[in-house]
């Protein structure tokens, strides 16, 4: 059972998936940094605020002595839009990478056709000849 697991774990496809997963996670952090540090501030200029802090307040909260607001109910649409932008960037880059990989793969030649056996008529003729010999 241990040998089977080792064979399974060391298959090329599984190792490729693991490498892709690790690279995807690292790439996601780069994209998050890009959108949080570059895209969000530029879009935030439009709204005159930090893009990630955009929210629609449903119920106002009360500020305590430390200045922390408690009891506020708000829809954090700025954070959601930032995550959607992250997703679109990651999905597009993965699409471009997969498209490039598929283009680089050699197209497999079609397998040669198996040699054809005798036709149905030839077999019937052979059976007839064998029966007529008796």
């Amino acid at each position: 059972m241990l040998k089977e697991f080792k064979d399974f774990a060391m298959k090329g496809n599984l190792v490729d998936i693991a490498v892709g997963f690790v690279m995807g996670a690292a790439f996601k952090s780069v994209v998050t940094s890009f959108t949080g540090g570059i895209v969000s501030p530029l879009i935030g200029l439009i709204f005159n605020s930090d893009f990630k802090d955009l929210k629609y307040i449903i119920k106002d909260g009360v500020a305590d002595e430390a200045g922390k607001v408690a009891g506020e109910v708000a829809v954090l649409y700025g954070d959601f839009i930032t995550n959607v932008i992250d997703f679109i960037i990651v999905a597009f880059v993965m699409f471009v990478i997969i498209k490039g990989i598929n283009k680089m793969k050699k197209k497999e030649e079609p397998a040669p056709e198996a040699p054809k056996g005798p036709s149905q008529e030839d077999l019937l003729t052979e059976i007839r000849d064998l029966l007529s010999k008796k």
Side-chain angles (χ1 to χ4, degrees), residues 7 21 27 36 45 53 60 76 82-83 96 98 101 110 119-120:
D7 291 342
F21 182 77
F27 182 70
L45 286 175
D53 292 337
D60 288 328
L76 305 173
T82 302
N83 288 329
V96 170
I98 296 299
I101 289 171
S119 68
Q120 188 176 15

Side-chain angles (χ1 to χ4, degrees), residues 45-110:
L45 286 175
I46 297 169
F47 297 104
N48 292 326
S49 68
D50 185 13
F51 189 62
K52 280 193 143 201
D53 292 337
L54 292 177
K55 59 186 172 183
Y56 176 74
I57 299 174
I58 298 171
K59 179 183 169 195
D60 288 328
V62 179
D64 58 7
E65 297 86 30
K68 187 171 181 175
V69 178
E72 180 180 79
V73 178
V75 176
L76 305 173
Y77 67 90
D79 193 37
F80 174 74
I81 293 172
T82 302
N83 288 329
V84 169
I85 292 170
D86 285 352
F87 172 76
I88 290 170
I89 292 170
V90 170
F92 178 74
V93 170
M94 290 297 123
F95 169 74
V96 170
I97 289 172
I98 296 299
K99 190 172 181 172
I101 289 171
N102 288 340
K103 205 176 232 187
M104 288 176 22
K105 283 184 181 178
K106 293 182 181 177
K107 292 184 179 179
E108 294 180 21
E109 295 182 24

Side-chain angles (χ1 to χ4, degrees), residues 18-34 90 93-94 97:
V19 169
F21 182 77
V22 170
M23 288 178 63
F27 182 70
K28 171 74 170 111
S29 65
V30 170
V31 171
T32 301
S33 173
F34 172 73
V90 170
V93 170
M94 290 297 123
I97 289 172

